[in-house]
Amino acid sequence: PSLQFLEEWEMLPRAGVWYAAVLLVATGGLAAQAAPTVYRLDVHGPIENGLAPYLARGIRQANAEGASAIYLDLDTPGGRVDAAERIADAVRGSKIPVYAFVNPRAYSAGALIALATNGIYMRPGGVLGAATPVDGQGTKASEKYVSAMRAEFRALAEERGLDPRIAEAMVDEKLGVPGLAEPGQLVTLSTSEALRVHYAKAEVENEGELLAQVGLAGAAVKAIDINWAELAVRFLTNPIVSPLLLSIGVLSLLAEIKAGAHGLGLLTGFLSLGLFFGSSLILGLAGMEEVILLGLGVIAVAVEVLVLPGFGVAGVLGALLIGAAMVLAMLGNFPTGGDVVQALLVLGASVFITLTVAYAWIRHLPNSRRFTGLIHQGSALAAEGFVSALPRGDLVGKQGLAVTDLRPAGVAMFDGEKIDVVTDGEYISNGARVQIVRAEAMRQVVRLVND
């Protein structure tokens, strides 16, 4: 080919020589522009819900920009399995190869992510495995959960052509693998052991050696950093921030419902609960089921406050629905005992904060000098002539129309005036004709007028 090229070069006219030279320079420039690019995504520290959107975005971006490969820099003690499953699904859905660099450890959920990649490379002294699921107290989870995780690891190993017995033994210590771990011990592979059983493809010291092993020596490496939106989601789902959002949301809505107004409290309440549930929706923890439960709970509480004063069935039901929605919004599709414990702790902290603030309002607000213009701080006795409202004896006998359902409290219209009324216990539907039979200060008692 070289000889043929030289012969053709000699046959070119002078103008053609210059054209060929320009063409060679341009071709070389295009070749330089087409240098391979490898994306690096860091998986450092505990695997939590906020990590999954970052890694999924990085994998999508690398695929969209035509990168040659992606490698995950793994150094993690493990973490939430549901987050690791979402990351593994993103890895398996990549159209370009994704490699794992165990640098130096990938325990538990980190091992699940590593098994989902196209190849595992480990640094000297690296470790991989120890993936048995545990509950909030650090003890082994139920057999049902262990069985599910064992199947997950086995499926990943089979997909990548690895020995599935070793993957299962990483999850269940009862299995054991000859030469690696006796029954009763979890399989945790060192770098040399992973090479021997072909779980690791090679031992590499650094990034350069890794790229050489995957046939991309000299490739440009592009690191993807977490963006502001992902940082915000991770902040909002923090176990310290979540109960504050819940408390602010519930307190604001209850204060607004009790006041019967539609202002700053309503906006604050919906904003706080929206941030809480919205961040969970982004992470895939919550769905429309949780939003519906929350809506039903708020409606039940509103009925208890506005329609059925007191604290009865509607109030208890509303509180339970709101609590259930909050807990479910913090759990994934397959939560561990630890996830449930953490969700209950967040809810408990929210309830404690809510009750503390409510007590502070009731106990200290009347004595606050800053609100002297809003709250009456003195006292008056009925014997001294004090009445909470002037009696409306002129209303007795008047007839009007109920403008709301009376259950038994509601509103009726008398001579163009809307008046809060109450029945003796009977239910009167909206639009029915009623008559005031007693006027007791602010309590106007009505009965149904039978035409």
Side-chain angles (χ1 to χ4, degrees):
S2 301
L3 181 60
Q4 181 181 357
F5 173 78
L6 290 175
E7 290 174 352
E8 292 176 354
W9 179 272
E10 290 295 333
M11 292 173 64
L12 286 172
R14 290 294 180 182
V17 170
W18 287 107
Y19 173 77
V22 172
L23 183 61
L24 287 172
V25 171
T27 305
L30 290 174
Q33 290 180 5
T37 301
V38 175
Y39 277 62
R40 187 190 80 232
L41 300 173
D42 293 331
V43 186
H44 297 166
I47 295 171
E48 36 81 25
N49 290 315
L51 189 64
Y54 154 69
L55 290 172
R57 175 179 63 86
I59 292 171
R60 287 195 305 270
Q61 183 176 335
N63 279 267
E65 296 182 4
S68 300
I70 304 167
Y71 88 85
L72 308 180
D73 193 292
L74 289 165
D75 183 13
T76 173
R80 290 188 65 120
V81 175
D82 52 353
E85 287 177 337
R86 291 196 295 274
I87 295 169
D89 289 342
V91 169
R92 296 163 74 182
S94 174
K95 296 179 180 179
I96 61 176
V98 181
Y99 303 105
F101 179 28
V102 180
N103 182 29
R105 61 189 62 83
Y107 291 120
S108 191
L112 187 150
I113 295 172
L115 288 177
T117 64
N118 297 93
I120 301 173
Y121 296 84
M122 299 177 66
R123 65 174 291 178
V127 285
L128 171 73
T132 189
V134 296
D135 59 18
Q137 287 72 43
T139 57
K140 184 179 177 181
S142 67
E143 177 58 30
K144 178 180 179 181
Y145 191 82
V146 172
S147 176
M149 285 301 301
R150 194 168 58 226
E152 182 96 19
F153 271 68
R154 180 178 65 247
L156 287 173
E158 290 174 346
E159 182 179 351
R160 299 306 185 192
L162 304 173
D163 187 347
R165 297 176 303 163
I166 297 175
E168 289 185 89
M170 289 181 179
V171 177
D172 194 344
E173 76 281 359
K174 294 184 297 184
L175 301 178
V177 176
L180 292 176
E182 297 295 328
Q185 298 177 334
L186 283 175
V187 167
T188 303
L189 300 175
S190 65
T191 299
S192 59
E193 290 172 332
L195 290 169
R196 177 163 57 86
V197 298
H198 307 296
Y199 260 60
K201 292 185 175 294
E203 178 183 304
V204 294
E205 289 274 0
N206 49 44
E207 182 181 273
E209 292 186 10
L210 171 65
L211 297 179
Q213 284 289 336
V214 300
L216 294 170
V221 177
K222 184 175 181 180
I224 300 295
D225 296 323
I226 189 168
N227 61 28
W228 67 269
E230 291 154 353
L231 280 173
V233 170
R234 296 178 78 171
F235 171 77
L236 294 174
T237 54
N238 187 287
I240 297 177
V241 177
S242 294
L244 293 176
L245 289 175
L246 292 176
S247 300
I248 293 171
V250 172
L251 284 169
S252 299
L253 289 180
L254 289 178
E256 196 76 359
I257 290 172
K258 191 65 177 176
H262 304 287
L264 182 61
L266 190 66
L267 176 63
T268 303
F270 279 120
L271 178 62
S272 298
L273 293 178
L275 289 173
F276 174 81
F277 282 95
S279 58
S280 296
L281 284 169
I282 292 173
L283 294 178
L285 296 178
M288 289 307 300
E289 299 86 354
E290 286 78 9
V291 176
I292 292 172
L293 282 177
L294 175 67
L296 292 175
V298 172
I299 291 172
V301 172
V303 168
E304 183 70 26
V305 174
L306 299 176
V307 182
L308 303 173
F311 194 78
V313 176
V316 173
L317 179 61
L320 291 176
L321 288 173
I322 293 173
M326 292 173 177
V327 171
L328 292 175
M330 291 180 278
L331 301 178
N333 296 327
F334 202 40
T336 64
D339 300 335
V340 175
V341 170
Q342 179 173 312
L344 292 175
L345 287 175
V346 170
L347 179 61
S350 174
V351 171
F352 175 78
I353 294 171
T354 303
L355 293 178
T356 301
V357 173
Y359 173 78
W361 281 351
I362 296 171
R363 179 71 176 83
H364 300 291
L365 195 58
N367 300 320
S368 173
R369 293 182 179 180
R370 297 183 180 181
F371 299 97
T372 52
L374 299 177
I375 300 173
H376 178 69
Q377 296 182 340
S379 61
L381 301 175
E384 298 174 354
F386 173 79
V387 292
S388 59
L390 293 175
R392 296 289 303 273
D394 59 306
L395 295 176
V396 176
K398 283 194 173 185
Q399 294 187 4
L401 294 177
V403 296
T404 67
D405 292 335
L406 308 184
R407 304 171 175 263
V411 179
M413 181 78 72
F414 298 91
D415 296 335
E417 180 184 3
K418 286 185 178 180
I419 297 176
D420 293 327
V421 297
V422 64
T423 72
D424 278 323
E426 62 180 322
Y427 169 80
I428 299 177
S429 60
N430 179 14
R433 180 166 292 278
V434 296
Q435 182 180 28
I436 297 179
V437 294
R438 293 195 308 276
E440 303 171 351
M442 292 296 292
R443 189 170 182 267
Q444 320 303 329
V445 183
V446 299
R447 65 174 177 81
L448 179 65
V449 175
N450 296 313
D451 296 331

